């Protein structure tokens, strides 16, 4: 294959200088300041019904425009989950409901001229609540006599095993082989339950949306969202208006990590604008992001793993109990990844597997999408179980894995029977061990003063889009001066996809990156795209870009052939123009663009949609060195090495940053990010004073490298990178802490007090 000119190069992000210079890019920057201020009055109770709500005193505040209650909104249920229709997530929400289902649920929408007026008015709204007994423990939620959703108009559009009369958002079972017989015949069985709490994405830019009525009377929404097309549908459903009356666009996004795959804030200012016909703006406070957003699903994963004395893993039985909270956004879909992205890692000798799950409603904050999307929870459990097996067998965990991991060419029964056509997981382990210096760091070392150093390991896989479902699209257009416009519906939320997709286009069109101007995402102007989630952008939308550019090349050759008086087959596209194959004559791109505007029937604007029947997994190995202070329980993370197989890295700088960011998030959820509730169901960590996300000083030395493979179905051999990188820190750190203390921790986060108390009682 010829050397690539743009793909695989560490080019700077297209918007880097604008960001560096503080130019207007985000929602706050590009929307007017005189919009109505919109806020939501929130429930202080985990389960309650509104007996009476009085708003007359609030409306007497100067500058107040409207207070809306459950009596004012459509009684048509919808879901806030940004998913392809028909959504697997149940239709279980109203804009405002008389029945309040968690502390923080929306009681009223308040709109005024100033924030001061709105804040004062919210204190004057009088609500008489009928306080009901809540379901707070997700272990007791299934078939509990207290129903989170007793309403008759609750709907599930897809057969996901949902039943609101049983507090079930989803349930199911799948598998192959006789798992009970296999486990019964195994001399070694690891049987433990692992618990991951509902941690927050904690993106820098909170949820925020601006809405107005455009010159055609339509609702125009500018929002920090990952899913402009899904957002349009959800807003239309919530307001019970035609989708044709909603136009959604996103500016630059200040981080999403999956949180903005749920329409958390958009519906409230949209409703205000639709009712008042006035511009409106809603900006979530950090507290609101902590108590009423869309955190990771709390999951408890029970693993039974059977092996021989030689370390051959023969069977895995996995049961996941997932807590969707008060509403079902992403509940039926996240749970699947806890099994589908963990069990297949150990395909090589697997004789049988079983994966069962229940997703239950509780009266806690509704969960949603978060980077890793269920795979994070499942891999913490399965990888920890594999590490426990290695310790039980007194075997090096790398040796154990080398005997059992999936390898290139293997069919993965637990991953929809897909074949691992591009898999460098074995090389990831080998290379990671080399750069980490595993042989030296794996043995436990006593440093004196009660400090112990130890190492741990974890593997990970994810997917590249949702197979057979996600659609990525691209429009590429030749401009007047021989430059190109690339229009996409995917959302760059800091990942750099505008740049990466432009690199693919530049490679196909044999031009400079600066010759590609990128626009997106806008439901009026962009081609349809499912959105930036499920690790789909580079793989799915990237392939659409590749196809569109190759089609445009052929069209330009046809126009050039007409101008040169030859057939298209007798022409050569050079990147600068089209020439006769014999070199006798040529026309420039500008010539072709000019010709396309007069007497021409060949389009120089091409739109291509792409969907893949497969979702090739990226793979990763992560190794960590920690120092545990056995006198205080403090864990200092010294070194973290990771090697990722994402196929062809389209931009090494950007994929490395993705990996480093994901590792840092994984470290945070493993060691410091704690979520606790009061007895009445209130989240106690409602600010960054209590909810501790790691700084750069907390993550030690990060070293990221790549073991490249070539995915035949991806653009230039690429797979995804965005999510696989968050999954290895939890099992690796838990493993290292066990090595240092002799105690396994099967619940996250692993805090100093837990370590100290476990050692005292161990």
């Amino acid at each position: 294959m010829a050397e690539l000119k743009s793909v695989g190069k560490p080019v700077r992000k297209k918007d880097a200088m604008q960001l560096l210079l503080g130019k207007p890019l985000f929602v706050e920057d590009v929307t007017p300041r005189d919009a109505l201020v919109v806020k939501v009055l929130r429930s202080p109770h985990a389960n309650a019904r509104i007996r009476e709500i009085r708003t007359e005193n609030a409306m007497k505040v100067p500058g107040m425009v409207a207070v809306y209650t459950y009596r004012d909104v459509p009684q048509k249920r919808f879901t806030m989950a940004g998913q392809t229709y028909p959504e697997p997530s149940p239709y279980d929400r109203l804009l405002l409901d008389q029945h309040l289902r968690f502390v923080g649920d929306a009681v009223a929408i308040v709109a005024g001229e100033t924030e001061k007026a709105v804040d004062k008015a919210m204190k004057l709204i009088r609500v008489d609540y009928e306080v009901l007994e809540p379901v707070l423990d997700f272990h007791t939620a299934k078939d509990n006599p207290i129903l989170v959703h007793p309403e008759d108009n609750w709907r599930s559009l897809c057969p996901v095993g949902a039943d609101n009369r049983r507090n079930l958002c989803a349930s199911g079972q799948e598998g192959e082989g006789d798992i009970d017989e296999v486990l019964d015949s195994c001399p070694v069985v690891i049987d433990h339950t692992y618990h991951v709490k509902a941690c927050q994405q904690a993106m820098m830019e909170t949820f925020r949306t601006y809405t107005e009525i455009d010159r055609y009377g339509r609702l125009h929404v500018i929002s920090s969202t990952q899913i402009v097309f899904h957002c349009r549908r959800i807003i239309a459903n919530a307001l019970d208006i035609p989708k044709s009356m909603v136009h959604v666009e996103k500016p630059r996004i200040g981080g999403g990590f999956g949180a903005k795959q749920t329409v958390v804030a958009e519906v409230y200012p949209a409703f205000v604008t639709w009712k008042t016909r006035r511009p409106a703006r809603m900006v979530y406070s950090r507290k609101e992001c902590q108590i009423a957003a869309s955190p990771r699903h709390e999951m408890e994963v029970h693993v039974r793993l059977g092996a021989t004395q030689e370390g051959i893993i023969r069977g895995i039985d996995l049961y996941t109990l997932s807590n969707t909270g008060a509403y079902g956004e992403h509940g039926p879909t996240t749970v699947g990844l806890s099994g589908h992205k963990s069990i297949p890692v150990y395909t090589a000798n697997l004789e049988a597997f079983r994966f069962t799950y229940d997703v239950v409603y509780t009266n806690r904050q509704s969960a949603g999408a978060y980077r890793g999307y269920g795979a994070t929870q499942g891999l913490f459990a399965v990888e920890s179980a594999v590490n426990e097996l290695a310790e039980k067998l007194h075997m090096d965990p790398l040796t154990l894995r080398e005997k059992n991991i999936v390898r290139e060419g293997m069919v993965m029964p637990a991953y929809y029977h897909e074949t691992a056509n591009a898999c460098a997981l074995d090389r990831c382990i080998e290379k990671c061990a080399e750069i980490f210096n595993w042989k030296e760091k794996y043995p436990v070392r006593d440093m004196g003063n009660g400090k112990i150093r130890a190492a741990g390991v974890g593997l990970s896989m994810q997917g590249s889009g949702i197979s057979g479902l996600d659609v990525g699209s691209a429009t590429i257009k030749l401009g007047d001066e021989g430059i190109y416009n690339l229009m996409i519906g995917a959302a760059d939320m800091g990942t750099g996809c505008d740049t990466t997709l432009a690199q693919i286009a530049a490679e196909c069109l044999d031009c400079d990156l600066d010759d590609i101007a990128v626009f997106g995402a806008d439901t009026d102007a962009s081609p349809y795209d499912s959105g930036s989630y499920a690790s789909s952008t580079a793989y799915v939308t990237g392939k659409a870009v590749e196809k569109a550019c190759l089609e445009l090349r052929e069209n330009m050759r046809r126009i050039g052939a007409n101008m040169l008086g030859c057939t298209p087959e007798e022409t050569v596209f050079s990147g600068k123009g089209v020439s006769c194959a014999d070199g006798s004559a040529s026309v420039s791109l500008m010539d072709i663009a000019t010709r396309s505007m007069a007497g021409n029937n060949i389009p120089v604007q091409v739109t291509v949609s792409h969907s893949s029947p497969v979702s090739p997994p990226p793979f990763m190995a992560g190794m960590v060195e920690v120092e545990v202070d056995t006198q205080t329980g403090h864990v200092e993370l010294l070194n973290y090495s990771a090697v990722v197989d994402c196929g062809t890295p389209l931009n090494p700088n950007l994929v490395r940053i993705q990996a480093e960011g994901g590792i840092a998030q994984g470290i945070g959820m493993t060691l410091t990010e704690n979520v606790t509730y009061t007895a009445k169901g209130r989240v106690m960590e409602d600010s960054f004073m209590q909810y501790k996300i790691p700084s750069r000083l907390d993550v030690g030395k990060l070293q990221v490298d790549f073991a490249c493979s070539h995915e035949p179905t991806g653009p230039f051999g690429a797979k995804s990178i965005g999510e696989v990188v968050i999954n290895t820190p939890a099992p690796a750190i838990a493993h290292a802490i066990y090595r240092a203390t002799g105690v396994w921790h099967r619940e996250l986060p692993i805090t100093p007090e837990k370590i100290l108390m476990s050692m005292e009682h161990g």
Side-chain angles (χ1 to χ4, degrees):
M1 191 171 86
E3 184 181 353
L4 302 175
K5 297 179 180 178
S6 294
V7 166
K9 306 304 179 187
V11 299
R12 189 173 67 190
K13 285 204 286 189
K14 276 188 162 289
D15 58 357
M17 290 307 295
Q18 294 294 92
L19 289 166
L20 185 65
L21 297 173
K23 298 297 183 182
L25 292 170
F26 300 91
V27 173
E28 287 285 278
D29 302 325
V30 300
T31 55
R33 295 290 172 191
D34 58 353
L36 295 178
V37 175
V38 178
K39 294 194 177 187
V40 168
L41 179 68
R42 300 191 179 279
S43 171
H45 305 292
N47 193 13
R49 290 185 67 83
I50 300 173
R51 288 198 187 99
E52 184 182 7
I53 182 167
R54 300 180 62 182
T55 63
E56 59 271 19
N57 288 338
M59 286 302 297
K60 292 177 183 176
V61 174
M64 278 304 300
V65 173
V67 178
Y68 300 108
T69 72
Y70 69 91
R71 298 187 186 94
D72 304 309
V73 302
Q75 297 301 299
K76 176 183 175 183
R77 295 203 176 267
F78 65 98
T79 178
M80 286 187 179
Q83 298 172 307
T84 301
Y85 182 85
E87 304 96 327
S89 299
Y91 279 29
D92 55 10
R93 277 194 187 262
L94 297 176
L95 252 173
L96 296 169
D97 203 329
Q98 187 177 10
H99 186 177
L100 306 165
R101 295 175 174 84
F102 71 98
V103 176
D105 210 351
V107 175
I109 304 171
V110 187
E113 304 279 359
T114 66
E115 187 168 11
K116 185 177 179 181
V118 170
D119 288 344
K120 185 174 182 180
M122 288 175 71
K123 295 175 183 176
L124 297 175
I125 298 173
R126 295 291 174 258
V127 187
D128 179 16
Y129 297 100
E130 177 190 358
V131 180
L132 306 171
E133 185 180 349
V135 181
L136 297 176
D137 184 352
F138 73 137
H139 299 97
T140 64
K142 183 179 175 180
D143 295 323
N144 195 300
I146 300 168
L147 296 180
V148 178
H149 284 278
E151 63 271 14
D152 292 332
N153 59 349
W154 176 97
R155 286 194 299 148
S156 177
L157 277 63
C158 296
V160 294
D163 187 345
N164 63 316
R165 296 293 167 179
R166 301 183 63 198
N167 282 337
L168 277 177
C169 178
S171 61
Q173 176 174 325
E174 57 191 88
E176 286 192 16
D178 191 331
I179 185 64
D180 293 316
E181 181 181 322
V182 169
L183 292 178
D184 286 344
S185 65
C186 286
V188 185
V189 176
I190 303 298
D191 186 341
H192 291 296
T193 299
Y194 304 84
H195 182 207
V196 177
K197 293 186 179 181
C199 46
Q200 292 283 359
Q201 296 88 347
M203 60 280 170
M204 288 179 68
E205 181 195 36
T206 62
F207 303 99
R208 54 197 61 200
T209 299
Y210 168 80
T211 53
E212 63 184 5
I213 300 297
D214 71 11
R215 61 188 178 275
Y216 301 115
R218 299 192 309 158
L219 182 64
H220 179 207
V221 179
I222 302 176
S223 186
S224 182
T225 179
Q226 301 172 216
I227 44 156
V228 291
F229 287 97
H230 295 330
C231 186
R232 178 178 65 181
R233 180 181 69 249
I234 295 166
I235 289 171
N237 287 345
L239 274 57
D240 199 16
I241 62 176
K243 286 188 275 294
S244 60
M245 296 303 293
V246 183
H247 166 207
V248 180
E249 64 174 304
K250 69 96 194 163
R252 184 62 157 76
I253 302 174
F257 307 117
K260 294 171 183 174
Q261 195 194 335
T262 302
V263 181
V264 173
E266 288 85 345
V267 292
Y268 302 115
F271 183 74
V272 169
T273 292
W274 192 250
K275 296 288 281 189
T276 65
R277 318 305 285 180
R278 295 182 59 178
R281 179 204 308 272
M282 185 171 198
V283 176
Y284 264 47
S285 67
R286 182 57 64 182
K287 179 177 180 179
E288 286 180 297
C289 288
Q290 291 295 112
I291 69 166
S294 55
R296 189 183 298 285
H297 284 74
E298 177 186 24
M299 289 188 192
E300 199 172 77
V301 183
H302 179 199
V303 179
R304 291 197 302 153
L305 185 150
T308 67
Q309 290 287 358
E310 294 72 37
I312 301 300
I313 297 173
R314 298 177 54 208
I316 300 176
D317 186 12
L318 192 149
Y319 168 71
T320 301
L321 178 64
S322 177
N323 183 2
T324 194
Y327 300 97
E329 283 96 14
H330 301 279
T333 41
T334 50
V335 72
L337 277 67
S338 69
H340 297 145
K341 304 291 168 67
S342 59
I343 299 171
V345 174
Y346 298 98
T347 289
N349 307 298
L350 208 63
E351 299 171 29
F353 77 92
R354 178 168 56 202
F355 173 39
T356 54
Y357 56 86
D358 289 310
V359 184
V360 294
Y361 283 115
T362 63
N363 292 114
R364 291 195 173 184
Q365 178 180 192
S366 178
Y370 185 177
R371 189 180 205 166
Y373 204 77
T376 312
Q377 297 92 313
L379 282 159
F380 170 57
V382 171
E383 287 299 296
S384 292
V386 172
N387 284 331
E388 295 197 38
L389 174 65
E391 294 294 335
K392 194 167 186 177
L393 296 175
H394 305 290
M395 184 181 293
D396 186 304
L398 302 192
T399 303
L400 176 65
R401 284 172 167 83
E402 287 164 359
K403 293 183 177 186
N404 294 287
I405 57 168
V406 60
R407 293 174 185 265
E408 192 157 290
M410 288 185 179
V411 175
M412 299 172 283
Y415 189 58
Y416 315 107
H417 285 271
E418 283 194 21
T419 301
N421 291 315
C423 175
L425 182 55
D426 52 344
R427 289 189 282 118
C428 287
I429 297 171
E430 181 182 347
K431 192 170 186 179
C432 195
E434 179 184 337
I435 65 175
F436 180 75
N437 199 356
W438 176 261
K439 288 183 179 179
E440 180 183 310
K441 291 178 179 175
Y442 180 59
V444 177
R445 289 146 287 149
D446 190 333
M447 309 303 292
N449 297 323
K451 294 183 178 180
I452 309 290
R453 288 190 180 181
V457 61
L459 304 183
S460 170
M461 67 173 274
Q462 199 75 34
S464 300
I466 305 173
S467 57
L469 188 66
D470 277 349
V471 172
S473 300
T475 297
I476 187 76
K477 178 173 65 173
L478 176 66
D480 293 14
E481 294 185 349
I483 60 172
Y484 302 96
N485 294 95
L486 174 63
M487 286 157 278
I488 57 172
D492 192 329
M493 50 184 164
T495 55
C497 76
D498 286 358
T499 306
T500 302
L501 297 175
Q503 286 179 261
I504 294 172
E507 192 68 53
C508 294
L509 295 167
D510 195 15
C511 66
D512 292 336
L513 189 65
D514 290 341
D515 291 339
I516 309 289
V518 184
F519 172 82
D522 184 313
T523 57
D524 275 11
S526 301
Y528 177 81
D529 195 289
S530 300
S532 294
Y533 61 89
S535 299
S536 63
T537 306
Y539 175 73
V540 180
T541 307
K543 196 66 176 180
V545 171
E546 182 185 5
K547 287 181 173 180
C549 291
L550 293 177
E551 187 175 328
L552 178 61
R553 274 180 64 145
E554 294 308 305
N555 287 357
M556 290 188 291
R557 286 180 66 196
R558 289 166 60 199
I559 295 172
N562 289 341
M563 298 171 71
L564 295 167
C566 59
T567 66
E569 292 73 26
E570 295 172 322
T571 64
V572 175
F573 179 81
S574 66
K576 300 296 184 183
V578 173
S579 60
C580 295
D582 60 9
S584 59
S586 65
V587 290
S588 70
L589 290 180
M590 189 182 298
D591 295 335
I592 294 171
T594 302
R595 178 60 181 269
S596 73
M597 299 173 192
N600 173 58
N601 295 312
I602 301 170
V604 289
Q605 176 172 308
V606 173
T607 299
V608 169
S609 293
H610 174 71
S611 186
S612 175
V614 295
S615 177
F619 297 95
M620 175 182 180
M623 297 175 191
V624 66
E625 180 187 23
V626 303
E627 182 173 275
V628 180
D629 188 332
T630 57
Q631 296 177 358
T632 65
H634 175 71
V635 176
E636 182 180 356
L637 201 146
L638 303 176
N639 295 284
Y640 202 101
S641 296
V643 176
V644 186
D645 164 24
C646 59
T648 300
L650 297 173
N651 184 319
N653 279 2
L654 297 184
V655 294
R656 180 169 281 107
I657 290 168
Q658 284 281 293
E660 291 175 353
I663 290 166
Q665 285 183 306
I667 290 168
M669 66 174 281
T670 305
L671 293 176
T672 60
E673 296 180 39
N674 202 12
V675 177
T676 54
Y677 282 82
T678 67
K680 293 187 177 180
R682 180 177 66 85
V683 176
M684 296 179 70
E685 293 77 15
D686 61 4
S687 80
F688 285 164
M689 293 295 289
Q690 297 86 22
Y691 189 79
K692 302 292 187 181
I693 61 173
S695 74
R696 184 63 187 87
L697 300 176
D698 300 314
V699 299
K701 179 186 175 185
L702 301 182
Q703 188 175 13
V704 174
D705 211 329
F706 301 93
C708 299
S709 62
H710 188 274
E711 172 51 48
T713 63
F716 296 97
K719 300 187 287 188
S720 77
I721 182 69
E723 293 183 275
V724 68
V725 292
I726 198 174
N727 298 327
T728 60
I733 294 170
H735 184 204
I737 291 172
Y738 165 78
R739 297 277 296 166
T741 65
V743 180
W744 286 107
H745 290 270
R746 303 185 181 99
E747 180 185 72
L748 302 182
I750 309 171
T751 57
E753 54 268 30
K754 287 181 182 178
I755 293 172
L756 200 58
M757 291 177 68
S758 68
M759 291 174 66
E760 289 176 355
H761 295 93

